[in-house]
Amino acid sequence: MTPCKICKGGFLKIKKRRDVLKKVEVQNFEPIQKEKTITFSDASTDFLKQCQIKGLSPYTIQYYQKELKQTMRAFAELDVPLDNVQKVTTKDIENLIIHHQKAGSAITTINSRLTAGKTFYNYLINKGYVNSNPYEGVAKLKERHEVGATFSKSQLKKLLDAPDLNTFVGLRDLTLMLVFAHTGIRLTELTSLEVQDVSFEGKGAINVQRTKNRYARRIPLTDRLKTVLKYYITERGVLDHDSLFISVENRPLNERSIQSRLKHYGDITGVNKSVTVSPHAFRRTFCRLKVEAGTNLFVLQRLTGHQSLEVLKRYVQIYGKDLENVIEDGFEDI
């Protein structure tokens, strides 16, 4: 029996409506994709691996590793859930700051930790593990912009006169202290120096290849440093590796050994009583002496490898001679 036109039209409308409802049901009951979850520890490992792939310097990777480890330890003490990075809140970051303040952490330490954490969570956002950065909106603590302790010229002379030059160790220690004092080089840069990085042509120079900011730089040699380096390299001799500074066993000298030797000379000269003898104290002293001598700030930046002028400006504020040179101006007849 053939249906009438009205019935047939109604049947088609009902069928069309059913088809639409089926599509809506499929859309509404489609399985929802689960949110990506990862623990704080696993996320940290993933982040550090990506840092290595991106070619960040070992110094930078070590910095992130240390800061994230300390943050995770503090979070555990504060009962912050670490099973999912999504659960960390801005309130937790604020409590983290208070926790470090109560523990007596320096402002620079806290700010450094905040910087590392913010970078870490920006990475997690890009990976889709979190929707927002809990560090956003948390201001860094205000720091006092000070210049750390430096050696006086007499203290510097005491340190450089202390090594026994009748021994290889004494000659080596004088050489490395002289490199610190006359170039302002960083500890990590000094330990990475190789024999071929030293040139004696013309004025002579040290070519620092492995730097903190990954920009190689050239530091000319002073006359005294050139003389001592020549003598030391001759005594060092030819070895199966190229590290410039070595132990008595002919192995590359590591950072801890160098710090230990500097402490030794600080103790026997008594300099440690007023200024802790460290690679950075030599670096600060180098900057101070150059500023006092009127060295152009941009030239000093090229010598030291500072990323910006901000730190060097602090030396100018304290040690620059321009203030003394102009303080009498305008008062000659008063």
Side-chain angles (χ1 to χ4, degrees):
M1 184 175 178
T2 306
C4 66
K5 289 182 179 180
I6 296 175
C7 293
K8 187 176 181 181
F11 174 75
L12 289 173
K13 285 181 181 178
I14 292 171
K15 186 174 184 300
K16 190 174 182 181
R17 195 179 300 148
R18 283 175 180 170
D19 290 341
V20 171
L21 288 172
K22 280 182 180 179
K23 287 182 181 179
V24 172
E25 287 174 359
V26 169
Q27 289 175 356
N28 288 343
F29 293 96
E30 226 175 42
I32 300 172
Q33 292 292 330
K34 282 190 174 181
E35 188 182 67
K36 293 168 75 174
T37 61
I38 190 171
T39 66
F40 198 98
S41 177
D42 289 344
S44 299
T45 302
D46 193 20
F47 171 69
L48 294 172
K49 187 188 298 180
Q50 290 302 312
C51 288
Q52 192 169 6
I53 292 171
K54 285 171 66 178
L56 298 188
S57 69
Y59 175 88
T60 304
I61 295 173
Q62 188 179 13
Y63 155 71
Y64 282 128
Q65 186 176 32
K66 173 191 171 187
E67 298 302 337
L68 291 177
K69 183 179 179 181
Q70 293 299 327
T71 296
M72 190 160 52
R73 182 176 296 172
F75 277 162
E77 293 175 5
L78 293 168
D79 294 325
V80 176
L82 297 172
D83 59 323
N84 184 356
V85 288
Q86 183 75 44
K87 294 180 180 180
V88 178
T89 66
T90 298
K91 187 67 177 176
D92 294 325
I93 308 305
E94 292 170 348
N95 289 336
L96 176 70
I97 294 174
I98 295 171
H99 174 80
H100 285 312
Q101 286 175 326
K102 288 181 178 178
S105 299
I107 291 176
T108 52
T109 300
I110 298 173
N111 284 342
S112 178
R113 203 144 293 163
L114 292 176
T115 299
K118 188 173 183 178
T119 303
F120 172 56
Y121 263 84
N122 282 336
Y123 165 79
L124 296 181
I125 290 175
N126 292 333
K127 291 286 287 186
Y129 289 123
V130 298
N131 300 318
S132 60
N133 192 330
Y135 286 84
E136 286 292 345
V138 179
K140 288 185 179 180
L141 304 179
K142 290 186 177 181
E143 299 180 39
R144 294 174 62 90
H145 297 297
E146 301 175 341
V147 173
T150 60
F151 305 128
S152 65
K153 287 188 176 181
S154 62
Q155 289 173 328
L156 198 53
K157 189 175 187 307
K158 277 184 182 180
L159 291 170
L160 297 176
D161 287 345
D164 180 3
L165 300 185
N166 293 314
T167 66
F168 173 77
V169 170
L171 173 62
R172 179 205 64 195
D173 290 351
L174 168 63
T175 308
L176 66 86
M177 281 198 290
L178 208 56
V179 170
F180 277 132
H182 285 207
T183 68
I185 199 171
R186 298 179 177 93
L187 174 60
T188 52
E189 294 170 341
L190 182 136
T191 54
S192 70
L193 287 179
E194 297 183 345
V195 175
Q196 58 267 33
D197 293 328
V198 181
S199 168
F200 294 114
E201 293 182 12
K203 179 69 176 174
I206 290 177
N207 297 311
V208 188
Q209 304 286 358
R210 285 158 289 281
T211 64
K212 182 179 177 181
N213 59 14
R214 296 192 291 182
Y215 288 96
R217 69 182 188 277
R218 178 178 63 89
I219 309 175
L221 302 178
T222 61
D223 291 339
R224 185 185 181 192
L225 179 55
K226 183 177 181 180
T227 300
V228 173
L229 266 171
K230 272 186 177 179
Y231 190 33
Y232 166 73
I233 290 176
T234 300
E235 290 298 312
R236 175 194 177 280
V238 178
L239 302 173
D240 58 359
H241 63 82
D242 296 323
S243 293
L244 180 59
F245 290 106
I246 59 172
S247 66
V248 289
E249 293 85 12
N250 293 332
R251 295 173 184 168
L253 208 59
N254 59 39
E255 294 181 15
R256 183 171 294 181
S257 297
I258 292 173
Q259 290 169 323
S260 175
R261 295 306 297 166
L262 295 184
K263 182 180 182 302
H264 166 72
Y265 291 112
D267 288 339
I268 64 174
T269 59
V271 174
N272 268 339
K273 293 178 181 178
S274 52
V275 181
T276 301
V277 179
S278 68
H280 210 69
F282 277 100
R283 182 169 168 82
R284 289 194 297 264
T285 303
F286 176 83
C287 293
R288 172 188 175 177
L289 294 176
K290 288 300 178 187
V291 167
E292 288 180 341
T295 303
N296 179 283
L297 211 56
F298 292 100
V299 173
L300 182 56
Q301 182 185 28
R302 289 172 60 193
L303 289 171
T304 59
H306 279 95
Q307 188 71 27
S308 72
L309 292 174
E310 289 306 309
V311 174
L312 294 177
K313 284 179 180 177
R314 299 176 199 169
Y315 289 90
V316 176
Q317 293 290 338
I318 299 174
Y319 302 117
K321 298 298 183 183
D322 53 334
L323 299 179
E324 286 83 354
N325 295 337
V326 302
I327 196 65
E328 296 289 348
D329 294 351
F331 296 100
E332 293 84 0
D333 301 324
I334 300 176

